[in-house]
Amino acid sequence: MRHQPVDSPPRTVAQRTAARVALVLGLCSVLLLVPVVGEWDPLMSADRDVARTTHRWAVADPGVTRVCRILTDWVWDPVTMRLLGAAAAGWLVWRHTDWWTAGWLVAAAALGTLIQQALKAAVGRARPVWPDPVDSAHYAAYPSGHALTATVVSGLLLWLLHRHGAGPVMWRTALTVAVVSVTGVGLTRIWLGVHWPSDVLAGWLLGATLVALAIAAHLRRHP
């Protein structure tokens, strides 16, 4: 006689949910990648229209543009975000002696960088070119490394705060900072004319996919 399986514990349910979210986000990433690689005209036209409009605004308002450059080059730069993740990993080791989670955090951020660079090399999408640029950037455009890195680091740190029982004030503050940072870094890249809108959207989607996958992996090891 076969016995019915015992109900899954909440953490196992959370693991399955994270895996499903990762699958959906991954499919969305693929659905965006295909028209970009195929240079689908409606998407290309929409990218150009938004980019032209925001570039006109950037040229016309140098004060806002200067603020955007400071934010994107110093506050939300991928190096800054990775250093934040490394600091969080150090805190996990120092306060909780949690070497596994610290390594998991560093590995997830590193994987995001590898995926970003691999896609840039594979897709080889050119960045916007302007006769009067307000900023410059290197390497290919797709996906936005700034958007991807900010999403990965912010998403994982938020989840760790939640897992460690952050209080309501700290949680709301962290959530606000994360949302402003992830949204803001994407908008600054478009404003400064160094990315097409779909590059930023791809960075957000891929970053969120990696966050969901990393959470599922962590829950599998530490339910």
Side-chain angles (χ1 to χ4, degrees), residues 36-54:
V36 168
V37 172
E39 298 184 352
W40 188 47
D41 188 62
L43 178 62
M44 301 297 106
S45 296
D47 270 347
R48 288 191 295 268
D49 289 344
V50 173
R52 289 192 191 103
T53 300
T54 53

Side-chain angles (χ1 to χ4, degrees), residues 6 76 112 117 131 172 179 184 210 214:
V6 179
W76 296 325
Q117 295 299 333
R172 286 195 294 268
V179 170
L210 283 171

Side-chain angles (χ1 to χ4, degrees), residues 77-153:
D77 181 75
V79 173
T80 304
M81 300 306 295
R82 293 180 193 120
L83 288 174
L84 178 61
W91 179 83
L92 286 166
V93 172
W94 177 52
R95 292 297 299 271
H96 299 279
T97 321
D98 193 348
W99 288 93
W100 192 92
T101 301
W104 163 86
L105 180 58
V106 172
L111 179 61
T113 301
L114 288 174
I115 291 175
Q116 160 205 322
Q117 295 299 333
L119 276 173
K120 282 182 181 291
V123 177
R125 189 183 197 188
R127 292 181 184 268
V129 177
W130 311 107
D132 49 353
V134 297
D135 201 359
S136 62
H138 304 291
Y139 311 114
Y142 187 95
S144 167
H146 281 67
L148 189 152
T149 304
T151 303
V152 169
V153 174

Side-chain angles (χ1 to χ4, degrees), residues 5-208:
V6 179
D7 290 340
S8 299
R11 291 292 185 185
T12 303
V13 173
Q15 178 193 341
R16 291 201 300 266
T17 300
R20 289 167 183 160
V21 170
L23 177 61
V24 171
L25 290 170
L27 289 174
C28 291
S29 299
V30 172
L31 290 175
L32 178 60
L33 175 63
V34 170
V36 168
V37 172
E39 298 184 352
W40 188 47
D41 188 62
L43 178 62
M44 301 297 106
S45 296
D47 270 347
R48 288 191 295 268
D49 289 344
V50 173
R52 289 192 191 103
T53 300
T54 53
H55 181 67
R56 285 199 303 270
W57 295 344
V59 172
D61 199 334
V64 173
T65 299
R66 192 175 303 112
V67 171
C68 287
R69 290 192 64 175
I70 293 172
L71 289 171
T72 198
D73 291 341
W74 296 99
V75 181
W76 296 325
D77 181 75
V79 173
T80 304
M81 300 306 295
R82 293 180 193 120
L83 288 174
L84 178 61
W91 179 83
L92 286 166
V93 172
W94 177 52
R95 292 297 299 271
H96 299 279
T97 321
D98 193 348
W99 288 93
W100 192 92
T101 301
W104 163 86
L105 180 58
V106 172
L111 179 61
T113 301
L114 288 174
I115 291 175
Q116 160 205 322
Q117 295 299 333
L119 276 173
K120 282 182 181 291
V123 177
R125 189 183 197 188
R127 292 181 184 268
V129 177
W130 311 107
D132 49 353
V134 297
D135 201 359
S136 62
H138 304 291
Y139 311 114
Y142 187 95
S144 167
H146 281 67
L148 189 152
T149 304
T151 303
V152 169
V153 174
S154 298
L156 293 179
L157 292 185
L158 277 178
W159 184 75
L160 286 173
L161 279 175
H162 176 72
R163 185 173 174 86
H164 283 273
V169 174
M170 178 180 288
W171 171 253
R172 286 195 294 268
T173 301
L175 180 61
T176 300
V177 170
V179 170
V180 170
S181 298
V182 172
T183 304
V185 73
L187 297 180
T188 60
R189 302 309 284 168
I190 299 170
W191 180 276
L192 294 172
V194 293
H195 274 295
W196 306 105
S198 56
D199 300 335
V200 171
L201 179 57
W204 285 334
L205 284 172
L206 287 166

